[in-house]
């Protein structure tokens, strides 16, 4: 993971609350099996609207998203974070994030910074009054700056440390492999194993009976 | 020290306690995998040259993308086919047990764990799917994770996690006739809001919860995530043990006795302290429906669509205006007057055998309204086979409904089962987000009973709207039907 201590880029004001992950990336794009290339899917339902903020030239190259409260709610899909990153975003600022989204962001090096709602309003004003204004997100000082507006943000210490060091979670955990093995040795025998598979008597599964579809004569 | 249920399960899984703000490293007992959130995780393992640490604690199934028609033919949608093929390849390569389309144990991942008896009290259960909270109904600590975490669990069978806060939700009293566990959870979400549970594990308790069947409990825990919570839990009791006993992976003999002894300790101590407590009176509840575009925008069916100009809070007012515009609803109109085009009965919230039975009893001998289509999608192949053995499929077909194969189906519209733009559904699923069931589709979340009554009348309805003599059906087997216990036979 790339180290992250400070980033400066065009700020994008997204005046919406409750932006759930279905809005960030609709389910149809989840069929892909790759880990990159989701930029076209970001906010897909809104991208058709010429008024939508990312369709305006000044914001198109944005990399700091300033959103309303409860960002990233709903489905756990990490694709939401990939889509934001693939588009070019490095940080999202919001009053409140859904837990899973925040967790996913931290793991992927996208900063989810929690900012007080009145400070979000201040940033929105700057970004709307002067489209294309750059926002500096400073993870060392835990501050976001846009022109003369300087606002503090919150991010938990552990995530901050990992982002600044660019550390990979799995590598960190595997340092403690000995402890994992020790723990496994104490696991009670009633706890389930998926293997070997235990089955009910095998049944042949055929398609459900002939299906009457909407509009068929038989339904009339 | 006195502890809550969630804390007890947490503590029993700490491999390494975090210090200096670092998270605890938690052992994961059961990892459920499906085709949508796993390909990139397996790719990560491959790139790093890492194996799956515990294939014997991992199980995969195909559910989100699978078609519910023509399951014996290659999947028509190429990207879906690729995604499912990718899971099959990964499962073979890494030695993971997979239940594929056409297998009796294929189905929605949150049905597969419980029906095989893999989901048990006191476990930690994870899956790359937010509705993993469903398994909390057994007294497991179960939560959804993202794909990076899926990879982490595959590689290490652990997760670094910061402790959750705890919230007790006590539902006192007795549910009135016609109200179900779905109405309890919709009422809870409307009360605490879609963000109200953020950072919390919710523990549902109280008389009304104790009285619920295992399946009804799963419905409640399933939707914990819609209140923003990480997980929902219910302390295990006789109902839980009874459900588990005899299932393929349930412990046997001395293991069973040891397990039950331990499981019986899994309850919040009387003097345990929760970070937050919420109380609800079951007797006040009635059938609930959502009118908006998040699960917190719900009201009793007897009310009217909200009038945004009467909402004081500005954020909520704007959200309501937006929602009503999307939903195509008039402020102030009675919810009962809303006509729907599609009734969807299924999903990991309400696609289980008891749900199907209760609807079947209601619609038996009737015809659906001409104006709508009815889709019945069992949550797993096993549930489908059981329903067919009990004759439910014929009741649905006679009613004019479509009887489909198992999967997520119209819950999220990744397969061809989708709403057309502007089309309106009454759906037993869990999310009414914009476009969730198809681009431009409009969703009203309802209980199975409301779905059934709506299918009969054509507009959002409760059982009571069908007339004073209509009995409120429950989830027990139909009278005279051959009972097919999914545990013994299919
Ligand atoms: S049925 Fe719906 S909510 Fe449940 S796992 Fe499938 S898509 Fe998710």
């Amino acid at each position: 993971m790339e180290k992250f201590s400070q980033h400066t880029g065009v700020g994008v004001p997204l005046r919406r609350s409750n932006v759930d992950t279905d809005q960030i990336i609709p389910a149809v794009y989840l069929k892909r099996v790759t880990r990159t290339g989701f930029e076209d899917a970001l906010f897909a339902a809104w991208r058709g609207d010429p008024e939508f903020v990312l369709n305006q030239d000044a914001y198109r190259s944005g990399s700091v998203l300033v959103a309303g409260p409860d960002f990233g709610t709903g489905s756990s899909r990490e694709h939401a974070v990939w889509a934001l990153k693939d588009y070019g975003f490095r940080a999202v600022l919001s009053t409140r994030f859904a837990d899973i989204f925040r967790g996913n962001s931290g793991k992927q090096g996208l900063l989810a910074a929690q900012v007080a709602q009145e400070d979000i309003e201040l940033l929105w004003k700057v970004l709307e009054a002067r489209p294309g204004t750059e926002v500096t997100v400073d993870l060392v000082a835990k501050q976001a700056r846009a022109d003369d507006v300087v606002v503090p943000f919150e991010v938990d210490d552990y995530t901050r440390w990992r982002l600044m060091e660019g550390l990979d979670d799995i590598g960190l955990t595997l340092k403690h492999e000995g402890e994992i093995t020790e723990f496994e040795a104490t696991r009670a025998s009633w706890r389930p194993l998926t293997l070997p598979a235990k089955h009910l008597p095998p049944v042949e599964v055929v398609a459900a009976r002939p299906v009457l579809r909407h509009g068929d004569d038989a339904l009339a | 020290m006195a502890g809550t249920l969630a804390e007890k399960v947490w503590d029993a899984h700490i491999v390494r306690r975090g210090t200096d703000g670092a998270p605890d490293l938690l052992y994961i007992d059961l990892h459920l995998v499906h085709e949508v959130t796993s390909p990139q995780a397996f790719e990560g393992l491959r790139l790093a040259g890492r194996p799956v640490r515990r294939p014997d604690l991992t199980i995969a199934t195909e559910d989100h993308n699978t078609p519910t028609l023509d399951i014996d033919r290659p999947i028509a949608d190429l990207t879906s086919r690729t995604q499912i093929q990718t899971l099959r390849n990964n499962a073979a390569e890494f030695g993971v047990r997979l239940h594929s389309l056409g297998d009796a144990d294929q189905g929605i991942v949150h049905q597969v764990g419980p029906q095989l008896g893999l989901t048990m009290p006191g476990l930690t259960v994870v899956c790359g799917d937010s509705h993993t909270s469903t398994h909390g109904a057994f007294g497991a600590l179960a939560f959804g994770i993202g794909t990076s975490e899926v990879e982490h669990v595959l590689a290490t069978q652990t997760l670094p996690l910061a402790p959750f806060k705890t919230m007790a939700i006590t539902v006192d009293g007795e549910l009135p006739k016609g109200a179900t566990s779905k109405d309890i959870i919709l009422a809870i979400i409307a009360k605490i809001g879609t963000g109200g549970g953020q950072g919390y594990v919710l523990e549902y308790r109280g008389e009304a919860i104790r009285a619920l069947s295992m399946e009804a409990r799963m419905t409640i825990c399933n939707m914990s995530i819609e209140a923003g919570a990480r997980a929902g839990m219910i302390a295990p009791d006789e109902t839980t043990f009874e459900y588990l006993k005899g299932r393929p992976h349930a412990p046997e003999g001395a293991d069973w006795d040891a397990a039950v002894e331990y499981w019986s300790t899994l309850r919040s101590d009387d003097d345990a302290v929760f970070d937050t407590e919420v109380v609800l009176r079951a007797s006040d509840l009635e059938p609930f429906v959502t009118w908006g575009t998040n699960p917190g925008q719900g009201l009793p069916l007897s009310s009217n669509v909200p009038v945004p100009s009467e909402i004081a809070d500005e954020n909520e007012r704007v959200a309501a205006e937006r929602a009503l515009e999307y939903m195509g609803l008039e402020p102030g109109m009675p919810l009962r007057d809303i006509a729907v085009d599609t009734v969807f009965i299924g999903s990991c919230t309400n696609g289980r055998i008891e749900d199907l039975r209760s609807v079947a009893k209601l619609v038996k001998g009737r015809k659906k309204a001409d104006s709508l289509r009815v889709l019945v999608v069992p949550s797993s192949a096993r549930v489908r086979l059981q329903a067919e053995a009990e004759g439910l499929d014929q009741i649905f077909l006679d009613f004019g409904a479509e009887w489909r194969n198992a999967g997520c189906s119209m819950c999220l519209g990744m397969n061809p089962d989708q709403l057309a733009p502007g089309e309106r559904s009454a759906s037993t699923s869990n999310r009414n987000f914009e476009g969730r069931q198809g681009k431009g589709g409009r969703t009203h979340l309802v209980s199975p009973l409301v779905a059934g009554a709506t299918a009969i009348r054509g507009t959002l309805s409760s059982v009571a709207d069908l007339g004073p003599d209509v009995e409120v059906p429950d989830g027990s087997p139909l009278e005279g039907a051959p009972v097919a216990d999914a545990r013994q036979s299919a």
Side-chain angles (χ1 to χ4, degrees):
Chain A
M1 210 163 79
E2 220 178 303
K3 289 188 184 180
F4 185 129
S5 54
Q6 181 169 321
H7 168 79
T8 301
V10 170
V12 179
L14 184 68
R15 268 197 193 262
R16 292 191 198 232
S17 58
N18 249 305
V19 175
D20 58 69
T21 51
D22 275 76
Q23 308 309 318
I24 300 173
I25 178 166
V28 288
Y29 295 97
L30 271 46
K31 294 181 184 177
R32 296 178 185 172
V33 293
T34 56
R35 204 157 191 158
T36 52
F38 287 93
E39 55 277 1
D40 58 324
L42 181 68
F43 300 128
W46 298 336
R47 292 275 276 281
D49 171 6
E51 298 288 296
F52 180 59
V53 62
L54 285 182
N55 288 334
Q56 298 168 33
D57 285 334
Y59 300 115
R60 214 181 287 274
S61 62
S63 61
V64 178
L65 188 65
V66 185
D70 292 319
F71 190 86
T73 53
S75 151
S76 61
R77 59 189 70 159
E78 194 161 312
H79 307 67
V81 174
W82 303 335
L84 285 160
K85 273 186 60 192
D86 289 350
Y87 185 91
F89 284 105
R90 295 297 311 275
V92 182
L93 278 47
S94 167
T95 316
R96 213 157 47 168
F97 292 95
D99 293 326
I100 301 181
F101 178 86
R102 200 185 30 218
N104 289 342
S105 300
K107 298 202 161 42
Q108 290 295 322
L110 177 77
L111 172 65
Q114 202 166 334
V115 179
Q117 186 57 30
E118 60 264 28
D119 291 340
I120 292 275
E121 300 278 352
L122 289 178
L123 290 171
W124 278 345
K125 281 199 189 114
V126 174
L127 298 178
E128 284 166 355
R130 294 181 289 283
T133 302
E134 291 196 333
V135 179
T136 294
V137 195
D138 183 342
L139 195 51
V140 182
K142 294 206 275 183
Q143 269 181 355
R145 301 185 285 269
D147 285 356
D148 50 346
V149 173
V150 179
V151 304
F153 64 74
E154 280 303 317
V155 53
D156 73 84
D157 291 341
Y158 183 70
T159 303
R160 176 166 169 257
W161 170 72
R162 273 192 27 254
L163 285 170
M164 289 173 53
E165 299 290 324
L167 284 173
D168 155 22
D169 257 354
I170 298 181
L172 274 176
T173 297
L174 285 177
K175 285 193 191 154
H176 307 299
E177 199 174 353
E179 284 161 85
I180 301 175
T181 309
E182 259 168 55
F183 184 91
E184 284 173 331
T186 66
R187 205 168 173 268
S189 59
W190 59 263
R191 291 187 187 264
L193 298 175
T194 58
L195 296 173
K198 294 188 202 164
H199 284 285
L200 298 170
V203 211
E204 202 203 335
V205 178
V206 291
R209 283 152 216 219
V211 173
L212 301 179
R213 292 179 214 216
H214 192 50
D216 279 0
D217 287 348
L219 286 180
Chain B
M1 205 186 84
T4 63
L5 169 60
E7 287 160 355
K8 289 182 183 179
V9 179
W10 182 283
D11 287 346
H13 289 86
I14 297 178
V15 171
R16 185 191 163 81
R17 210 176 270 285
T19 45
D20 294 335
D24 290 345
L25 191 62
L26 225 58
Y27 198 77
I28 302 302
D29 282 311
L30 179 63
H31 185 191
L32 308 160
V33 173
H34 64 88
E35 74 274 20
V36 180
T37 53
S38 68
Q40 292 86 358
F42 283 111
E43 188 179 292
L45 289 186
R46 205 174 287 122
L47 290 174
R50 290 175 175 140
V52 172
R53 181 180 176 88
R54 296 294 302 260
D56 59 342
L57 300 182
T58 311
I59 184 169
T61 181
E62 303 166 357
D63 55 4
H64 283 66
N65 265 309
T66 50
T68 54
L69 290 172
D70 304 330
I71 59 164
D72 41 358
R73 280 185 238 160
I75 298 172
D77 181 313
L78 272 184
T79 45
S80 293
R81 199 196 295 175
T82 308
Q83 200 166 57
I84 284 179
Q85 194 52 50
T86 305
L87 178 64
R88 291 177 186 173
N89 297 346
N90 286 330
E93 180 181 338
F94 289 92
V96 171
R97 171 177 175 186
L98 168 68
H99 292 290
S100 278
L101 200 59
D103 171 336
D105 287 309
Q106 175 267 340
I108 305 173
V109 63
H110 310 309
Q111 172 66 21
V112 169
Q115 85 183 11
L116 284 170
L118 285 167
T119 302
M120 292 178 196
L123 304 187
T124 44
V125 181
V126 299
C127 173
D129 185 281
S130 55
H131 292 99
T132 309
S133 56
T134 313
H135 308 264
F138 291 80
L141 181 61
F143 46 91
I145 54 178
T147 299
S148 288
E149 289 169 305
V150 172
E151 183 180 336
H152 194 284
V153 176
L154 288 173
T156 71
Q157 203 57 36
T158 63
L159 269 183
L161 284 170
F164 306 142
K165 291 179 286 180
T166 55
M167 185 188 297
I169 300 187
T170 307
V171 190
D172 283 327
E174 204 178 319
L175 266 186
K177 271 205 168 318
T180 64
S181 67
K182 181 68 161 278
D183 305 305
I184 295 181
I185 188 64
L186 285 173
I188 289 172
I189 300 165
K191 184 177 168 120
I192 69 175
T194 50
Q198 259 169 45
Y200 287 95
V201 177
L202 314 181
E203 183 182 335
Y204 305 98
R205 40 200 229 150
E207 198 186 334
I209 302 293
R210 287 278 144 247
L212 296 174
S213 72
M214 216 45 236
E215 299 201 345
R217 294 178 187 184
M218 285 191 242
T219 303
I220 294 198
C221 288
N222 175 274
M223 291 191 70
S224 306
I225 180 70
E226 308 312 332
R230 280 311 300 268
M233 294 179 92
I234 294 175
D237 58 13
E238 281 305 319
T239 305
T240 321
F241 309 153
E242 174 53 31
Y243 179 96
L244 271 168
K245 200 165 174 71
R247 291 193 181 262
H249 283 275
E252 289 171 301
D255 274 346
W256 173 263
D257 298 337
V260 170
E261 196 186 322
Y262 173 61
W263 294 344
S264 304
T265 67
L266 292 175
R267 49 183 291 276
S268 291
D269 295 322
D270 295 335
D271 48 349
V273 183
F274 289 88
D275 297 303
T276 307
E277 299 206 36
V278 174
V279 179
L280 218 76
R281 280 227 309 271
S283 51
D284 293 347
L285 294 178
E286 39 179 316
F288 243 72
V289 302
T290 61
W291 51 268
T293 51
N294 72 55
Q297 291 173 322
L299 281 171
L301 177 58
S302 55
S303 5
N304 297 335
V305 171
V307 180
S309 60
E310 292 170 1
I311 299 176
D313 181 272
E314 193 194 321
N315 261 333
E316 271 182 45
R317 182 169 63 242
V318 175
E321 274 167 6
R322 233 190 105 74
L324 290 188
E325 191 192 317
Y326 180 86
M327 292 296 289
L329 295 174
E330 286 304 316
M333 76 184 281
L335 288 166
R336 275 204 167 80
D337 288 355
I338 298 174
V340 309
D341 309 298
T342 294
V343 172
F344 172 66
I345 297 162
S347 86
C348 60
T349 316
N350 280 127
R352 287 178 284 271
I353 192 72
E354 291 180 12
D355 302 315
L356 302 184
R357 283 179 186 149
S358 66
V359 182
K361 285 181 193 171
L362 193 64
V363 305
K364 189 174 183 183
R366 297 177 187 261
K367 288 278 174 220
K368 69 170 186 68
D370 288 336
S371 53
L372 47 74
R373 66 169 162 158
V374 183
L375 221 64
V376 188
V377 185
S379 57
S380 72
R382 184 83 54 193
V383 168
R384 194 198 106 206
L385 294 169
Q386 186 179 1
E388 290 178 1
E390 294 183 16
L392 307 186
D393 58 327
Q394 200 52 51
I395 296 175
F396 287 122
L397 291 175
D398 292 345
F399 177 62
E402 300 175 35
W403 178 248
R404 297 290 186 91
N405 291 290
C408 295
S409 179
M410 197 183 270
C411 175
L412 89 167
M414 265 185 99
N415 77 354
D417 308 340
Q418 299 190 6
L419 294 179
E423 220 185 316
R424 184 183 302 283
S425 76
S427 175
T428 65
S429 56
N430 47 39
R431 286 194 173 138
N432 51 344
F433 299 153
E434 290 182 19
R436 169 83 176 177
Q437 297 190 294
K439 202 171 176 213
R442 297 158 168 167
T443 305
H444 297 275
L445 300 178
V446 299
S447 71
L449 290 181
V450 169
T454 301
I456 293 166
R457 283 170 42 95
T459 54
L460 292 180
S461 306
S462 66
V463 177
D465 296 326
L466 299 175
D469 312 327
V470 178
E471 226 185 286
V472 178
D474 61 12
S476 62
L478 274 69
E479 219 172 297
V483 178
D485 188 332
R487 280 179 285 195
Q488 267 70 42
S489 63

